[in-house]
């Protein structure tokens, strides 16, 4: 009986048999199966009580009502609120991905920071709020003591009538600086059109729910335009046939088969930049075939027919000019749209029950061409679609209570006499409120910077401004830059100090009249979660800052905090409207509104000098007269970049834009495009939305640009080829995607990628067209024209 | 060896002892050693006595006081520290002379820290289990799945499966998986069997529990 090999085998056999008869192998297999499923990296929310917080998404001025589902203290999902009057349950992709703007640790500032390396080196030291506020207070007080309060400037991206915007403006005014700048927006162009043609200085509203024919000149209705959540809900309403007397038609003017164009009933693709001519070609048909609203035109319009002024000079009217210059045949040559199509669309527009013409481009976040918007708006006037159901509306005010007057001391008064650095509102740019590129020019054009301290709130101009290289140059000259951004964005990386704001889900913020909404609505968000980090509400920061500065500045900020400032404004709403509401009602529901519009009589809504809708804008005439003092009228027009002559300059008309690039050297046109699922504003694209991009848009770190196959073949470019896009301003490396829906001769480059800050999900992915956009100034408004950059493409 | 081989009809028994040794050794390892190695004993952070809190006790609390349904139908599960603090709020005036209560005050009530209870019934995250469907609609008593906790003076020993990280109560405290009471094992098959027995076989479709 030795332990030889045979016996060993017997031993093993016994062991195996015993093992099989024991639970070991069976339990082990079952447990290993479970063990292989325990992936430690799968994120699972902690356990806790479920709850819903009803609030408002404030990532854009669309103000969709949202409910945030929470498990314990962690927010886990954002959904649209079905009972919220703006969006009726719809929500856009960015709103849904909003949780990542809250919880992405890699992009949030967790406390106030001070820069400790050279600018852009990303070396920061955490400081206390006291130190941060003291530093800024000392700096501002220093400027006031030296008698140069105007050397403080601010760039604000908050909605124009929101409490945050008012607070920042108030801060600058009470300190004594006129240099309150706002990020350029399409809403500004709409407000200008409203002012020039109707005499009212406020944005336009559109009664989209009740229209049955939408003639959209480039507005990305399904691509994020205006108030995206609401637009999705409205589109749903348009395509559903129930209980509607008239079927809704959408005509989309777009140089590319965007989602909106693809889903529209008719897609028109005029050459980019000629949209005004198309609008006037349609106007031609309506005027010639007498399809216009006689009642409106005869009784409530000025400048439609030829007229004589008080000096006895004859002026051509709108109808005369349109009939003379914009026949469908002429417009066909300019735009490329066949004249019979122009006639057909014009007749359809004119015979619809409640048509509306909308001007815009893409998401409506960047300004448009003033004359073009006027031309489109004129179509609404031709059919009397002003302040009627389904038309463009004169907005009713939201009856918020005003604050006490700002207190000014002598330092402030002195500072406020100085001219704005961006010359906005001066005789050269009488209608525009803010021109950041001129601000940039003023700094770059000077030996030493006229700005000592720059504050930035809810804005990322280094990334979003067309031709951002000049802006970056200007920043380098400014001695002290403070960013209030919650995120590690490009502009914050150029700053010297960060005073981080809460993210949108951690704070109370208001939006007055979400973009384009047809009735007065006040939206107020409430925090969904407690602040995660040591951030502070920028409203509270502004108020603290003012109190520390003291004197009349503190006197202008009597509230303890932001909420008190809001509450004071909101008190005006309690008794206004149909029913009494309280502060509790408004904070609980997140809104106040009166769901009715006072469709005022045409006799008393227009506030122009003629008290009528003006095809011939008296305001433009006054402005040009003022500007042309001391020089010839032709020189004035040259100076303002207006190419047309005569009476046309006061009216909607088409003029060919000049660009800095020679058409022979730069044969192609660069058109930036915007997608609803690619955030392109001051909020960086959340990783969730990165996942929704196709491989033919972004692969690894390469951005694909869209080119028509015919154009691509001219340069021997295939699908996926690498190429260099070169404009007079610079060059970008891209890859080519062939798209039949892209207009030949145009390169479409998405906005939203090409970040150089944030974290691994965004940094270094793709390229930013703003780096090579070569903006000229839009005639009359002075806003940067970002849709007219010429480029050439070189195969890489 | 050769001599043995020539003997007719004689089995080669002497090697068989090795077989037997192997067999018995394997059986011992499989039935006794393996369970000891597989599970590690953990103790609950506090020795909570249901007997001294329940309906029959001095405290006289109904089960629903701590284990109830919210308005939206979700089940509260094991109560949080706030619930304990409804009675045990002042460390200066404890409700007993128990050292466990003292631990409650020093470690948890003071800092309002949640007690990290070890949960016997924890199922994997992929499982959607609605208490309301079983308690209110099917009217199943708690002890059918959980065993009788209400009269326990001390919580059962928590044994953690080192591989799967779940409690031993899922497979069962019997290593053979032998089931005498309804609460002895709670794996997927147990749910499926009960559904079948109660005539709710439709609830055995995958997506009902794995949403």
């Amino acid at each position: 009986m030795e332990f030889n090999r045979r016996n060993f085998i017997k031993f093993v056999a016994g062991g195996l048999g015993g093992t099989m008869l024991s639970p070991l192998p069976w339990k082990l297999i079952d447990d290993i199966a479970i063990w292989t499923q325990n992936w430690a990296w799968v994120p699972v929310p902690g356990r806790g009580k479920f709850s819903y917080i009803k609030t408002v998404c404030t990532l854009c001025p669309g103000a969709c009502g949202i409910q945030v589902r929470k498990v314990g203290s962690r927010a886990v999902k954002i959904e649209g609120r079905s009972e919220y009057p703006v969006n009726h349950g719809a929500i856009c992709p960015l709103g849904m991905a909003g949780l990542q703007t809250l919880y992405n640790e890699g992009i949030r500032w967790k406390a106030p920071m001070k820069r400790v390396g050279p600018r852009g080196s990303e070396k920061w030291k955490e400081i206390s709020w006291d130190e941060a506020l003291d530093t800024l207070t000392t700096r501002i007080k220093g400027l006031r003591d030296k008698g140069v309060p105007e050397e403080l400037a601010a760039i604000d991206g908050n909605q124009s009538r929101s409490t945050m915007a008012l607070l920042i403006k108030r801060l600058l005014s009470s300190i004594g600086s006129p240099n309150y700048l706002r990020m350029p927006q399409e809403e500004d162009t709409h407000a200008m059109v409203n002012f020039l043609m109707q005499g009212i200085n406020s944005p336009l509203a559109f009664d989209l729910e009740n229209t049955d024919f939408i003639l959209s000149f480039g507005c990305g209705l399904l691509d994020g335009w205006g108030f995206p959540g609401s637009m999705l809900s409205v589109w749903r309403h348009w395509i559903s046939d129930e209980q509607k007397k008239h079927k809704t038609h959408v005509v989309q003017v777009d140089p590319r088969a965007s989602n909106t164009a693809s889903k529209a009933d008719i897609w028109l693709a005029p050459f980019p930049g000629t949209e005004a001519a198309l609008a006037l070609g349609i106007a031609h048909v309506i005027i010639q075939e007498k399809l216009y609203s006689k009642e409106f035109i005869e009784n409530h319009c000025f400048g439609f027919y030829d007229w004589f002024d008080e000096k006895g000079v004859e002026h051509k009217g709108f109808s005369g000019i349109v009939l003379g210059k914009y026949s469908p045949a002429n417009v066909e040559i300019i735009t490329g749209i066949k004249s019979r199509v122009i006639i057909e669309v014009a007749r359809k527009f004119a015979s619809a029950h409640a048509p509306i013409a909308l001007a815009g481009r893409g998401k409506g976040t960047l300004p448009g061409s003033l004359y073009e918007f006027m031309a489109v708006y004129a179509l609404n006037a031709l059919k009397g679609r002003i302040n009627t159901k389904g038309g463009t509306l004169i907005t009713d005010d939201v009856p918020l209570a005003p604050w006490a007057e700002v207190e000014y001391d002598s330092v402030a008064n002195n500072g406020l006499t100085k001219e704005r650095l961006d010359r906005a509102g001066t005789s050269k740019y009488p209608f525009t409120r803010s021109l950041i590129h001129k601000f940039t020019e003023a700094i770059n054009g000077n030996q030493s910077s006229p700005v000592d301290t720059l504050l930035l709130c809810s804005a990322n101009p280094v990334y979003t401004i067309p031709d951002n290289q000049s802006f970056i140059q200007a920043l380098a000259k400014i001695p002290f830059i403070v960013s209030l951004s919650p995120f590690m964005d490009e502009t914050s990386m150029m700053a010297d100090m960060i005073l981080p704001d809460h993210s949108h889900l951690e704070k109370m913020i208001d939006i007055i009249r979400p973009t384009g909404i047809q009735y007065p609505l006040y939206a107020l968000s409430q925090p969904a979660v407690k602040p995660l980090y040591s951030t502070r509400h920028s409203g509270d920061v502004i108020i603290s800052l003012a109190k520390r500065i003291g004197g009349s500045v503190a006197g202008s900020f009597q509230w303890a905090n932001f909420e008190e400032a809001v509450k004071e404004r909101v008190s005006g709403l309690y008794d206004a409207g149909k029913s009494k509401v309280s502060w509790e009602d408004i904070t609980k529901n997140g809104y106040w509104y009166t769901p009715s519009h006072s469709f005022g009589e045409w006799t008393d809504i227009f506030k122009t000098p003629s008290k009528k809708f003006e095809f011939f804008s008296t305001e433009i005439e006054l402005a040009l007269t003022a500007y042309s003092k001391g020089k010839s009228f032709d020189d004035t027009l040259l100076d303002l970049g207006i190419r047309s002559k005569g009476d046309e300059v006061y009216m909607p008309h088409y003029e060919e834009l000049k660009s800095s690039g020679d058409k022979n050297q730069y044969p192609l046109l660069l058109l930036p495009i915007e997608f609803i699922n690619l955030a392109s504003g001051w909020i960086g694209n959340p990783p969730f939305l990165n996942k929704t991009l196709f491989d033919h848009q972004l692969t690894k770190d390469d951005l694909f640009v869209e080119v028509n196959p015919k154009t691509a073949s001219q340069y021997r470019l295939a699908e996926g080829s690498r190429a260099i896009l070169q404009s007079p301003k610079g060059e970008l490396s891209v890859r080519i995607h062939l798209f039949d829906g892209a207009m030949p001769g145009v390169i479409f480059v998405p906005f939203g990628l090409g970040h150089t800050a944030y974290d691994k999900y965004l940094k270094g992915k793709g390229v930013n067209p703003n780096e090579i956009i070569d903006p000229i100034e839009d005639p009359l408004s002075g806003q940067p024209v970002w849709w007219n950059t010429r480029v050439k493409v070189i195969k890489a | 060896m050769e001599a043995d081989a020539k003997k007719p009809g004689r089995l080669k028994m002497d090697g068989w002892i090795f077989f037997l040794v192997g067999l018995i050794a394997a059986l011992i390892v499989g039935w006794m050693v393996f369970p000891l190695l597989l599970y590690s004993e953990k103790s609950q952070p506090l020795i909570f006595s249901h007997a001294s809190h329940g309906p029959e006790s001095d405290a006289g609390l109904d089960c629903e006081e701590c284990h109830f349904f919210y308005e939206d139908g979700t089940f509260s599960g094991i109560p949080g520290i706030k619930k304990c603090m409804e009675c045990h709020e002042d460390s200066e005036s404890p409700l007993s002379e128990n050292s466990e209560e003292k631990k409650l005050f020093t470690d948890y009530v003071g800092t309002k820290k949640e007690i990290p209870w070890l949960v016997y019934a924890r199922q994997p995250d992929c499982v959607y289990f609605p208490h309301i469907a079983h308690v209110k609609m099917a009217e199943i008593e708690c002890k059918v799945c959980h065993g009788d906790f209400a009269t326990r003076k001390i919580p059962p020993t928590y044994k953690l499966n080192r591989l799967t990280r779940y409690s031993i109560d899922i497979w069962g405290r019997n290593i053979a998986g032998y089931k005498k009471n309804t609460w002895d094992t709670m794996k997927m098959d147990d749910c499926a069997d009960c559904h079948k027995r109660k005539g709710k076989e439709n609830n055995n479709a995958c997506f009902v529990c794995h949403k």
Side-chain angles (χ1 to χ4, degrees):
Chain A
M1 245 200 358
E2 48 174 292
F3 195 59
N4 58 19
R5 191 170 47 194
R6 269 200 187 163
N7 289 335
F8 174 72
I9 290 171
K10 286 179 187 139
F11 174 73
V12 170
L16 270 171
T19 305
M20 292 304 203
L21 292 172
S22 79
L24 190 143
W26 320 112
K27 181 82 172 78
L28 213 56
I29 289 173
D30 189 68
D31 283 352
I32 288 174
I34 296 171
W35 170 77
T36 57
Q37 302 300 300
N38 286 348
W39 301 317
W41 59 86
V42 173
V44 177
R47 289 172 184 266
K49 182 160 179 276
F50 301 131
S51 60
Y52 275 102
I53 305 282
K54 289 186 190 283
T55 178
V56 182
C57 176
T58 52
L59 288 177
C60 86
C64 293
I66 54 171
Q67 51 190 28
V68 179
R69 183 159 180 269
K70 292 172 70 173
V71 176
S73 62
R74 174 108 186 173
V76 295
K77 182 151 196 266
I78 297 179
E79 302 165 345
R81 277 165 67 183
S82 49
E83 85 293 0
Y84 200 82
V86 174
N87 53 320
H88 307 287
I91 189 169
C92 86
L94 179 60
M96 279 186 76
L99 287 180
Q100 294 193 311
T101 63
L102 168 66
Y103 287 124
N104 187 354
E105 288 181 13
I107 62 171
R108 296 281 312 266
W109 295 113
K110 302 188 176 55
M113 293 292 198
K114 186 169 90 162
R115 175 175 64 82
V116 291
R119 270 196 193 160
S121 63
E122 302 184 23
K123 290 199 172 48
W124 304 92
K125 178 173 137 204
E126 194 180 306
I127 55 176
S128 69
W129 273 101
D130 269 330
E131 188 189 326
L133 287 167
D134 274 339
T135 312
L136 189 52
T137 307
T138 313
R139 189 106 193 174
I140 294 176
K141 270 185 160 159
L143 292 177
R144 279 172 48 89
D145 289 339
K146 277 190 275 186
V148 286
E150 67 275 8
E151 290 189 10
L152 170 70
I155 295 181
D156 182 17
N158 287 297
Q159 197 226 16
S160 60
R161 287 140 290 154
S162 63
T163 305
M164 268 313 301
L166 261 60
L167 281 177
I168 298 172
K169 184 146 196 255
R170 194 176 177 94
L171 180 73
L172 258 69
S173 299
S174 61
I175 286 172
S177 170
N179 292 311
Y180 169 72
L181 292 124
R182 297 192 46 80
M183 294 297 290
Q185 269 158 22
E186 189 181 277
E187 196 186 78
D188 298 337
T189 316
H190 284 297
M192 272 187 251
V193 170
N194 197 0
F195 178 65
L196 295 176
M197 299 177 105
Q198 300 180 157
I200 301 157
N201 211 335
S202 86
L204 292 168
F206 315 105
D207 187 17
L208 294 175
E209 254 112 13
N210 295 314
T211 171
D212 70 337
F213 193 95
I214 298 96
L215 179 52
S216 157
F217 281 81
C219 308
L221 303 173
L222 285 176
D223 296 296
W225 181 79
F227 36 166
S230 194
M231 275 315 305
L232 293 170
S233 163
V234 164
W235 189 285
R236 195 201 312 155
H237 173 76
W238 287 342
I239 60 175
S240 73
D241 276 326
E242 350 156 323
Q243 292 170 0
K244 273 167 49 184
K245 278 206 288 193
H246 310 270
K247 187 173 182 310
T248 309
H249 290 93
V250 178
V251 177
Q252 174 75 352
V253 173
D254 215 312
R256 172 185 171 265
S258 60
N259 281 344
T260 314
S262 305
K263 291 200 183 283
D265 294 286
I266 299 176
W267 168 34
L268 298 174
F271 299 128
T274 63
E275 290 83 1
L278 178 61
L280 293 166
I282 293 173
H284 185 284
V285 177
I286 296 176
I287 295 173
Q288 179 155 78
E289 298 185 11
K290 305 251 189 293
L291 301 171
Y292 52 85
S293 156
K294 292 212 177 37
E295 209 238 304
F296 186 75
I297 297 289
E298 309 272 324
N299 303 315
H300 302 285
C301 289
F302 169 67
F304 184 76
Y305 297 110
D306 297 349
W307 55 286
F308 289 90
D309 66 21
E310 63 282 352
K311 293 202 195 85
V313 179
E314 194 192 355
H315 291 273
K316 274 222 102 53
F318 180 69
S319 66
I321 293 195
V322 168
L323 288 173
K325 285 182 81 169
Y326 299 102
S327 68
N330 284 348
V331 172
E332 178 174 337
I333 298 170
I334 301 171
T335 64
I337 306 281
K338 296 249 175 325
S339 51
R340 61 167 174 77
V341 173
I342 298 173
I343 296 170
E344 184 192 322
V345 170
R347 287 180 183 158
K348 282 199 161 101
F349 178 81
S351 61
H353 174 73
I356 191 171
L358 295 172
R361 245 183 201 84
K363 283 188 185 158
T365 46
L366 288 171
S369 152
L370 184 54
Y371 280 127
E372 176 194 315
F373 278 36
M374 284 173 75
V376 172
Y377 205 65
L379 290 175
N380 291 313
L382 284 178
K383 291 298 297 176
R385 306 293 304 138
I386 317 285
N387 224 39
T388 56
K389 249 181 132 68
T392 66
L393 303 181
I394 307 294
T395 58
D396 297 313
D397 273 324
V398 176
L400 293 163
W403 289 331
E405 289 287 322
V406 179
E407 286 182 27
Y408 300 103
D409 62 5
S410 56
V411 175
N413 276 322
N414 208 2
L416 290 172
T417 58
K418 308 269 167 33
E419 207 176 65
R420 285 176 63 105
L421 283 170
D422 65 351
R423 313 277 306 285
T426 59
S427 57
K428 186 166 180 191
Y429 305 104
F431 311 117
T432 318
R433 283 185 301 178
S434 183
L435 290 160
I436 294 196
H437 68 286
K438 296 239 62 90
F439 172 77
T440 306
E441 260 175 57
I443 298 173
N444 284 336
N446 242 303
Q447 250 306 42
S448 66
S449 166
V451 174
D452 175 84
T453 302
L454 178 64
L455 291 179
L456 293 133
C457 188
S458 300
N460 185 13
V462 168
Y463 179 76
T464 59
I465 289 279
D467 182 25
N468 58 357
Q469 299 301 316
S470 306
F471 184 76
I472 293 172
Q473 264 184 318
L475 279 189
K477 294 176 78 170
I478 300 176
F480 195 61
I481 301 174
V482 178
S483 169
L484 273 64
S485 174
F487 307 113
M488 298 178 176
D489 53 44
E490 284 81 358
T491 313
S492 299
M493 286 310 176
M494 299 272 157
D496 304 300
M497 201 164 71
I498 312 285
L499 274 61
D501 195 358
H502 296 321
S503 76
H504 76 293
L505 292 171
E506 295 167 318
K507 61 181 174 178
M508 167 187 276
I509 268 290
D510 58 14
I511 290 179
I512 289 85
R513 294 204 68 124
T515 319
I517 204 158
Q518 58 275 54
Y519 37 72
L521 183 139
Y522 176 80
L524 185 65
S525 74
Q526 59 156 327
V529 296
K530 286 203 181 52
L532 298 178
Y533 308 120
S534 186
T535 54
R536 270 196 204 175
H537 195 303
S538 289
D540 291 342
V541 169
I542 302 278
I543 294 173
S544 301
L545 191 60
K547 289 196 196 304
R548 280 166 190 245
I549 295 173
S552 56
V553 179
S556 307
F557 285 82
Q558 300 277 6
W559 317 282
N561 53 33
F562 180 79
E563 188 172 318
E564 255 186 53
V566 168
K567 218 168 163 176
E568 198 181 298
R569 291 184 86 193
V570 168
S571 63
L573 302 176
Y574 298 156
D575 294 326
K578 290 208 160 126
S579 52
K580 270 175 89 74
V581 289
S582 65
W583 173 248
E584 283 68 36
D585 291 327
I586 296 174
T587 45
K588 186 168 75 112
N589 295 325
Y591 63 89
W592 169 94
Y593 83 129
T594 45
S596 64
H597 173 74
S598 54
F599 290 100
E601 291 300 314
W602 286 328
T603 39
D604 41 35
I605 53 167
F606 299 119
K607 305 272 185 282
T608 49
S610 62
K611 294 283 178 282
K612 294 186 179 168
F613 179 89
E614 293 190 347
F615 283 101
F616 177 100
S617 173
T618 318
E619 290 292 343
I620 299 181
E621 194 190 17
L622 292 169
L624 289 182
T625 314
Y627 190 64
S628 60
K629 280 198 166 49
K631 45 176 163 299
S632 78
F633 196 64
D634 278 348
D635 281 339
T636 303
L637 295 181
L638 204 65
D639 209 15
L640 292 173
I642 301 175
R643 277 176 145 183
S644 49
K645 304 262 185 281
D647 285 322
E648 262 205 333
V649 307
Y650 308 105
M651 293 198 274
H653 64 277
Y654 163 70
E655 41 182 81
E656 198 189 320
L657 286 170
K658 60 179 193 297
S659 64
S660 67
D662 175 65
K663 280 209 171 107
N664 293 316
Q665 232 197 331
Y666 300 99
L668 302 169
L669 180 69
L670 168 71
L671 263 192
I673 42 176
E674 296 170 294
F675 295 105
I676 196 171
N677 59 327
L678 178 55
S680 48
W682 80 277
I683 303 274
N685 203 41
F688 279 151
L689 296 191
N690 275 2
K691 285 275 172 214
T692 66
L693 296 174
F694 293 109
D695 281 345
H696 64 247
Q697 293 175 299
L698 177 72
T699 293
K700 293 227 170 75
D701 289 342
D702 295 327
L703 177 69
F704 284 71
V705 301
E706 293 177 358
V707 186
N708 187 285
K710 269 208 293 249
T711 308
S713 66
Q714 278 180 320
Y715 298 93
R716 283 202 282 272
L717 295 167
E719 175 73 32
S721 299
R722 288 186 188 278
I724 308 272
L725 283 184
Q726 209 178 64
S727 84
K729 281 276 173 178
E731 58 181 49
L732 295 174
S733 302
V734 297
R735 289 180 70 178
I736 303 294
H737 168 59
L738 302 179
F739 181 39
D740 282 306
M743 179 175 278
V746 183
I747 310 241
F748 294 93
V749 186
F751 268 140
L753 292 167
H755 280 285
T756 52
Y758 294 101
D759 61 359
K760 64 180 179 196
Y761 296 106
L762 277 183
K763 198 171 185 171
K765 285 197 198 283
V767 291
N768 181 8
N770 280 321
E771 284 176 34
I772 66 169
I773 286 179
D774 190 14
I776 54 160
E777 280 180 20
D778 178 51
L780 205 59
S781 73
Q783 293 282 22
V785 170
W786 49 272
W787 57 89
N788 200 45
T789 299
R790 299 214 66 86
V791 288
K792 67 169 172 233
V793 67
I794 308 160
K795 189 167 173 159
Chain B
M1 289 293 145
E2 264 188 5
D4 288 348
K6 288 217 174 86
K7 281 194 187 130
R10 179 145 187 245
L11 286 167
K12 302 217 179 2
M13 281 308 271
D14 28 313
W16 287 103
I17 191 81
F18 292 98
F19 179 83
L20 247 115
V21 165
L23 183 77
I24 290 170
L27 285 172
I28 290 173
V29 167
W31 283 96
M32 297 165 89
V33 178
F34 171 62
L36 282 172
L37 291 176
L38 185 64
Y39 294 105
S40 72
E41 261 184 44
K42 301 250 177 260
S43 42
Q44 295 284 3
L46 289 174
I47 301 172
F48 176 79
S49 163
H50 269 95
S52 60
H53 287 80
E56 314 287 316
S57 70
D58 289 336
L61 295 170
D62 274 332
C63 309
E64 283 78 29
E65 184 65 43
C66 297
H67 305 295
F68 55 90
F69 287 98
Y70 290 113
E71 250 180 51
D72 65 354
T74 51
F75 190 61
S76 69
I78 295 176
I81 192 69
K82 267 209 307 209
K83 183 51 91 175
C84 310
M85 283 171 69
E86 279 176 20
C87 297
H88 297 277
E89 57 180 330
D90 190 3
S91 57
E92 303 294 307
S93 45
L95 301 172
S96 73
E97 272 149 28
N98 203 314
S99 61
E100 290 302 302
E101 195 189 346
K102 203 148 163 264
K103 233 204 302 179
L104 171 71
F105 282 119
T106 50
D107 292 351
Y108 300 103
V109 171
T111 49
K112 289 222 191 83
K113 192 167 120 178
E114 291 297 340
I115 303 169
W117 299 113
L118 300 165
V119 182
Y120 309 98
R122 174 76 72 238
Q123 292 282 338
D125 286 315
C126 59
V127 178
Y128 165 72
F129 176 81
H131 269 95
I132 199 160
H134 296 81
V135 174
K136 296 264 179 197
M137 289 165 69
E139 292 177 334
I140 298 173
E141 274 185 38
C142 311
K143 67 168 178 252
V144 170
C145 300
H146 293 284
D148 198 352
F149 267 73
T151 52
R152 290 192 79 101
K153 289 211 185 74
I154 54 167
T157 321
Y158 185 87
K159 288 193 171 169
L160 174 73
N161 182 318
R162 292 181 212 262
L163 264 183
T164 65
R165 317 305 293 178
Y166 291 106
S167 165
I168 193 174
D169 297 279
I170 302 296
W171 172 273
R173 291 186 182 246
N174 183 317
I175 192 64
Y178 176 67
K179 185 168 178 170
K180 194 166 78 170
N181 307 302
T182 48
W183 56 84
D184 281 344
T185 63
M186 207 48 69
K187 288 182 71 67
M188 188 170 88
D189 286 344
D190 300 289
C191 305
D193 286 343
C194 190
H195 286 160
K196 202 160 170 192
R197 267 184 282 127
K198 299 251 172 175
K200 295 265 174 214
E201 208 164 342
N202 285 335
N203 288 347
N204 287 341
C206 308
F207 52 79
V208 175
C209 306
H210 298 296
K211 292 196 183 293

